[in-house]
Structures are given as C-alpha cells and as structure tokens.
Amino acid sequence: LDQRVEEEIEEVRNVLGDDVVISGFYSYGEIAPFHKEMKCQLHNQTMTITLLSE
C-alpha cells in the first residue's frame, strides 16, 4: 500500500458512503528473510476490512 494508503481509504469510502465511521490502523504484512539470506524483507501487504452494524 505504501504511499497509496489514502487511495485505498477513498475506495472504501466510495463503497461504504460518507456517513460511515471508519477507524483502524496501518501495518506491514509478513517481514522475514528470503531463502538463504540473513536480511529481512517485506513479502506482502494486506488490507483487511471489518464491518460492524446494529
């Protein structure tokens, strides 16, 4: 997601509408060394959306 976080949030807002409260946090996905390497690197990023309603 990197610098495109705002675009991702805008897309969610387009689907859910402006009257929905949005909250959450941002974090990276899996960080681990690749095969036969010592340096850890980012493997992927994921956006998870959970909707709650009454």
Side-chain angles (χ1 to χ4, degrees):
L1 302 176
D2 197 26
Q3 295 177 355
R4 301 184 75 184
V5 173
E6 290 181 23
E7 293 175 27
E8 297 287 339
I9 295 170
E10 286 176 13
E11 289 300 318
V12 172
R13 173 80 55 209
N14 288 337
V15 172
L16 299 179
D18 292 331
D19 58 337
V20 175
V21 176
I22 295 178
S23 67
F25 64 92
Y26 178 77
S27 68
Y28 280 112
E30 300 169 311
I31 300 176
F34 284 108
H35 183 65
K36 296 184 180 181
E37 290 186 24
M38 296 298 291
K39 181 180 174 185
C40 289
Q41 297 182 14
L42 177 65
H43 288 264
N44 62 38
Q45 295 175 320
T46 303
M47 181 175 185
T48 303
I49 300 172
T50 303
L51 301 173
L52 304 174
S53 68
E54 291 185 55

